[in-house]
Amino acid sequence: MQRLEWIAAYACRRYSLVSMVENYGKQNEVCTQALPVLSQSDPEFSEYIKVAPELQKKYLESRFIKAYESFEKNLKKAGVIK
């Protein structure tokens, strides 16, 4: 979602994947408590802002599959993958 620019802010963005694995205990707490902030460039942003705060995590989880499909489509369009 970050590469699609669908995320405006996320506390874990500052950590590399390697750092997150190496420091799982410390960084996991930070990363699981803070939800990503969806960007207005997300195609479903207008729906997201209508979702109750307690349901936003579930909504974001449902967006991961769509983000993957969209990212894959962009890579195919660019000729990076077939």
Side-chain angles (χ1 to χ4, degrees):
M1 292 176 76
Q2 182 173 315
R3 290 181 185 224
L4 292 166
E5 298 180 357
W6 290 1
I7 300 290
Y10 186 42
C12 292
R13 187 183 258 176
R14 65 179 178 251
Y15 302 117
S16 70
L17 183 57
V18 173
S19 173
M20 290 173 76
V21 171
E22 290 177 341
N23 301 298
Y24 179 77
K26 286 186 213 171
Q27 293 171 356
N28 182 47
E29 197 172 305
V30 172
C31 294
T32 57
Q33 290 179 1
L35 287 178
V37 177
L38 207 60
S39 169
Q40 291 183 15
S41 63
D42 183 297
E44 294 184 15
F45 180 77
S46 60
E47 294 300 315
Y48 171 74
I49 58 174
K50 295 175 188 174
V51 174
E54 61 273 8
L55 300 175
Q56 287 179 344
K57 181 178 180 183
K58 193 72 169 164
Y59 184 85
L60 287 172
E61 289 171 354
S62 73
R63 297 291 294 137
F64 289 130
I65 293 171
K66 291 180 182 179
Y68 175 81
E69 291 168 350
S70 183
F71 189 67
E72 182 179 44
K73 183 179 175 182
N74 290 347
L75 291 177
K76 286 179 180 179
K77 199 184 278 189
V80 176
I81 62 172
K82 293 182 181 187

